[in-house]
Every structure is written in structure tokens, then in C-alpha cells.
Amino acid sequence: MISNKKERIGWYMYDWAISAFSATVVTVFIGPYLTAIAENAAGDTGVLNVLGLNIFPGSFFPYIVSLSVLLQVLFLPIMGAVADYTHKKKLILAASSYLGSFATMGMFFLEGDRYLLGGLLFIIANLSFGIAMVMYNAFLNDIAASEERDSVSSIGWATGYLGGGILLALNLFLFSQAESLGISTGMAIRINLASAGIWWGIFTLFPMIWLKIRKSPKSIPQNKNIWNVGFSEIKHTVLDAKKYPVTLLFLFAYLLYNDGVQAVIALSSQFGQEELGLDMAVLTQVILIVQFVAFAGALLFNYIASKTSTKTTLIITLIIWLIAVSYAYLGLYDAAGFYILGIVVGTVMGGTQALSRSLFANLIPKNKEAEYFSLYEVSERGTSWLGPLLFGLSLQFSGSYRIAILSLVVFFVLGIALLLKVNVQKGIAKVEQEALSQS
């Protein structure tokens, strides 16, 4: 596998670029801020009326996360198939990145009772985020041989956590100094949200300059459009995937446990604000700590995987996630406990995500990376729909944030159970066998 140093740096820099959206928008500010706007819009009635449905304000953001991912379920496989068919994954990466960047910048205008605008902008940004991540992940097999993918993937995640952490540190400073700077708390949050879009747009320039396309772009035939090609290629992918039962089993395991991981990441700030009564300064500090701990955690678990195996290390991280969620239900009552939980989650977060990506990359057929990573991305970071939906429904019917957070345990238990059944070596051998038969 041939790639130059600049190309890998460009790939790492995209994680640096897009992680600002994950850290500043998804993990910290948009959940609590959009919930506050929704509560303001609900007024004395205590409920929102959206398309004739009465919605508890605290459930609005989890539902919006779920809706954005349902749209990803529809669009990501299409875009992945088109990218592999046309060999234009770099172009699609650029287009989705800048659409998401501008939608995120638009969050500067969220104030008063504009919760519907906030929901729409988040859906556009999160859908763009998902499409961009499909294209970004699909470059992994281009720039790293199979024995290098754990390391390259881990460095990519670590770089992203570092970049997201640096912007979040700047955001925390602005938030903490808002009064002395003569701006309101709401204005500080709006600036911070928009800054993530600006950061995303600026640093996307590096992968656009340095990443290479290894096959000439292929035009869509005149008698077809993007949707014809997309659906045709999806059908082919589904039929093709039956050849790789181990790959599919891992994908199902990942979909389950990653739903739990992403729900914790996306909803932790809301839990801290609503259940523990923590203010935005504390929430931002904890998430900032998580970012920098995750930088080290990604490298730590890559080292552990090199001494054991990727699968074994993944299972270790998932057991720690299971313990962390149980602790949030049973023993988390104050800011000190929230800090402790943040350190634990940060330590395992990078390892879980980096090793999942590299393991999956070794289980997919050659030249079909975008197609298969589109299926993978459906349940990628900050975009899972089952977890937020279960959290929202649990909150809706119980009125308890603790029961809502406990409901996420099921995803880790089922994910571990399926992952234990994944025969990694058998899966890799099958992919290599198919590649040889087609060469």
C-alpha cells in the first residue's frame, strides 16, 4: 500500500477538522442549548406542538438526533455506492464537508424560540457529517496496509481529539469570560457553535490538497442519475455482503454497541444539566478533559491491541463502558462524580472507535470501501438513532433521566455478546480469498 507522508497527514487533519463538530456542537453545546430554546418555546404549557404531536422539550434533541440518523440510513449507502462507482469520494468529501460547515455556522442565529431552525440546521449538519465520514474512512485502506491500520486509525482518532479539544478549550475560555467581554451567555454559545463550522471548513483544505484519488473519475451514464446508480450499487452491495458473514456479524455487533457509545457521547451534557443540575461551565470542562484523555486513550488501547488482539481490546473497552453507564445510574450525584466518569469514558472512547474502524477495514473487500463504510457510518459517532430514541422514550414515559441513561446498558450487553462470536481471522481470510479469485 503506497502513500506519502503528506497524504497521511492530510487524512489525520480531516479528523482534526471534523472533530470540532463532534466536541463543540454534538457533545457540549447543542443539546443543552437547544433544550433550553425548546423549553422557552413550550412556555407555561410545558410541551411542544410539532406537526400535531405533543413533545416533552427534553426529548426534542434526542428525537432530532434520531431523525438525522434515519436520514443517514437512507442517504449514506447511496452516497457510498456512488463514490465507489464514480471514484469521486474526494469530491463528495468536499461537498458534504462544506455543506455541514455552513449549516453549523448558521447555528449562530439560534435564539429565542427558534428550536425548529435549530433542529433543521442540526439535521443538515449531522447528515453532512455522516456522508463526510464515509468518504474519510474509505481512504484508510488507500493509505495503510492491513498491518498498519490499527496504528493509522488510532493516530487519526487521537489527532481528532486533540483538534477538537483545542477548539473546545478556546470555547470554554470565551464562555467563562463572556460577562467580562460584555456578551451574554447565549451569545457566547452561539459564537462557539459557529466556530465549529469555521474550524471544519478551514482545516478541510488540508485533505483536499494532499489526499490522492487512485482511480480516474468515472461519469454517471447519460441514461442514469445519481439515484439510479446509488440504488443499483446498493443492491449489488447487499448481495455481495452475503459472501462475508463474519463482516456482517461484526457490523451488527458494532451497530449495537456503538449505539450505546454514541448515545452517551451525545446526551451526557443533557444528563449533567437536567439530572445533576450542573452549569454549562462544568459540562464544558468535563468534555474538555474527555477530549485530551481520549487522545491518550486512543494511543494506549492501540498499544494494548498490539500486545493482545484488536477484538480482545475492544471487548475490554466495552466492559468499561458498561460499568460507566451503571455507575451513572447508581452512584453519580455531583460534579466530582461527573469528572470521574468523564475521565473513565475519555480513556476508553478513543480506543473503542479507532479499533472498531481498523478492524472493520480489514473485513471489507477491496475497491468497495465507500460502499461498506457507508453501512458502518450509519451507526458512527454522534449519529446512532436507537440509543437516543430509547433514551428519549424512556425519559418521555418515566420522567427520569437515570432510567433513561440506564436503558443504554442493553446496547453494550448485546454488542459484547455478538462481538464474542466474531471470528476475525476467518473474516480476513475470506476477504483475501475473494480478492485473489477476482485478480
Side-chain angles (χ1 to χ4, degrees):
M1 195 69 59
I2 301 174
S3 69
N4 60 41
K5 184 177 181 181
K6 278 191 175 181
E7 189 172 17
R8 286 196 181 181
I9 292 174
W11 191 79
Y12 297 148
M13 287 303 296
Y14 190 73
D15 217 322
W16 174 287
I18 202 169
S19 291
F21 177 77
S22 297
T24 290
V25 179
V26 178
T27 309
V28 180
F29 288 107
I30 194 64
Y33 186 62
L34 193 54
T35 298
I37 292 176
E39 289 172 346
N40 185 52
D44 296 335
T45 64
V47 294
L48 301 168
N49 187 279
V50 181
L51 301 176
L53 299 174
N54 290 328
I55 296 177
F56 180 58
S59 295
F60 179 71
F61 178 62
Y63 290 159
I64 287 298
V65 173
S66 297
L67 177 58
S68 69
V69 178
L70 287 175
L71 291 174
Q72 288 186 349
V73 171
L74 296 176
F75 283 97
L76 265 58
I78 295 173
M79 299 310 297
V82 169
D84 278 336
Y85 180 87
T86 62
H87 311 310
K88 293 181 179 179
K89 60 188 176 187
K90 185 174 178 179
L91 175 63
I92 298 173
L93 175 64
S96 56
S97 295
Y98 285 105
L99 178 60
S101 170
F102 287 125
T104 306
M105 292 181 208
M107 293 178 185
F108 175 79
F109 300 101
L110 299 184
E111 57 182 335
D113 59 357
R114 297 177 181 173
Y115 72 97
L116 289 177
L117 175 62
L120 177 62
L121 289 174
F122 181 80
I123 288 170
I124 294 171
N126 212 24
L127 178 58
S128 300
F129 174 92
I131 294 171
M133 286 301 297
V134 169
M135 305 306 146
Y136 165 66
N137 286 334
F139 277 98
L140 176 58
N141 286 13
D142 290 345
I143 65 172
S146 58
E147 66 274 9
E148 300 175 297
R149 288 173 193 157
D150 278 354
S151 175
V152 172
S153 181
S154 295
I155 293 172
W157 278 108
T159 303
Y161 285 126
L162 184 60
I166 289 173
L167 180 63
L168 189 57
L170 296 173
N171 290 335
L172 175 58
F173 176 79
L174 176 64
F175 183 83
S176 65
Q177 299 299 315
E179 185 177 345
S180 63
L181 293 172
I183 61 176
S184 66
T185 298
M187 173 61 78
I189 292 174
R190 289 161 53 204
I191 292 173
N192 289 341
L193 290 170
S195 73
I198 296 170
W199 184 281
W200 187 355
I202 290 173
F203 288 105
T204 293
L205 293 173
F206 290 92
M208 291 303 100
I209 294 171
W210 288 333
L211 284 177
K212 298 177 181 177
I213 293 296
R214 283 165 170 75
K215 290 190 176 182
S216 300
K218 180 180 174 183
S219 300
I220 295 174
Q222 289 186 349
N223 61 337
K224 292 186 177 183
N225 57 42
I226 189 172
W227 307 112
N228 297 140
V229 170
F231 283 114
S232 175
E233 292 298 303
I234 289 170
K235 180 180 178 181
H236 181 269
T237 301
V238 170
L239 294 175
D240 185 67
K242 293 180 181 179
K243 300 177 186 176
Y244 310 103
V246 175
T247 306
L248 290 178
L249 181 60
F250 173 77
L251 189 61
F252 284 127
Y254 175 77
L255 185 141
L256 284 169
Y257 71 70
N258 194 62
D259 274 339
V261 169
Q262 301 308 326
V264 172
I265 293 171
L267 302 170
S268 57
S269 289
Q270 185 179 350
F271 179 85
Q273 175 181 273
E274 302 297 327
E275 177 63 28
L276 304 179
L278 304 179
D279 60 31
M280 186 62 73
V282 172
L283 297 176
T284 310
Q285 288 170 4
V286 172
I287 301 304
L288 180 61
I289 291 171
V290 168
Q291 290 294 121
F292 289 108
V293 171
F295 168 76
L299 302 178
L300 170 65
F301 281 101
N302 172 57
Y303 174 78
I304 295 173
S306 70
K307 299 300 181 181
T308 56
S309 72
T310 307
K311 175 182 168 180
T312 298
T313 308
L314 269 177
I315 292 173
I316 292 171
T317 68
L318 295 179
I319 291 172
I320 296 173
W321 277 105
L322 185 60
I323 294 171
V325 172
S326 300
Y327 168 71
Y329 171 73
L330 292 171
L332 181 54
Y333 291 98
D334 54 23
F338 200 67
Y339 280 106
I340 293 171
L341 185 64
I343 292 171
V344 173
V345 166
T347 302
V348 296
M349 185 165 63
T352 301
Q353 295 172 322
L355 296 177
S356 294
R357 179 170 64 184
S358 58
L359 179 55
F360 186 70
N362 285 329
L363 295 174
I364 59 179
K366 188 177 181 180
N367 297 324
K368 297 179 181 178
E369 291 85 1
E371 291 180 49
Y372 278 81
F373 266 116
S374 68
L375 302 178
Y376 178 88
E377 185 61 28
V378 163
S379 52
E380 199 21 291
R381 54 182 183 175
T383 57
S384 300
W385 66 278
L386 287 173
L389 179 61
L390 181 59
F391 184 96
L393 289 173
S394 299
L395 178 60
Q396 180 92 22
F397 291 109
S398 70
S400 169
Y401 277 91
R402 290 191 180 276
I403 291 177
I405 201 73
L406 182 65
S407 68
L408 303 179
V409 164
V410 66
F411 296 106
F412 296 107
V413 172
L414 294 177
I416 291 170
L418 284 183
L419 187 57
L420 286 168
K421 297 178 180 294
V422 174
N423 188 327
V424 176
Q425 295 306 316
K426 182 178 178 181
I428 293 174
K430 179 63 177 177
V431 169
E432 292 176 347
Q433 178 186 347
E434 288 293 326
L436 288 174
S437 67
Q438 295 172 13
S439 61

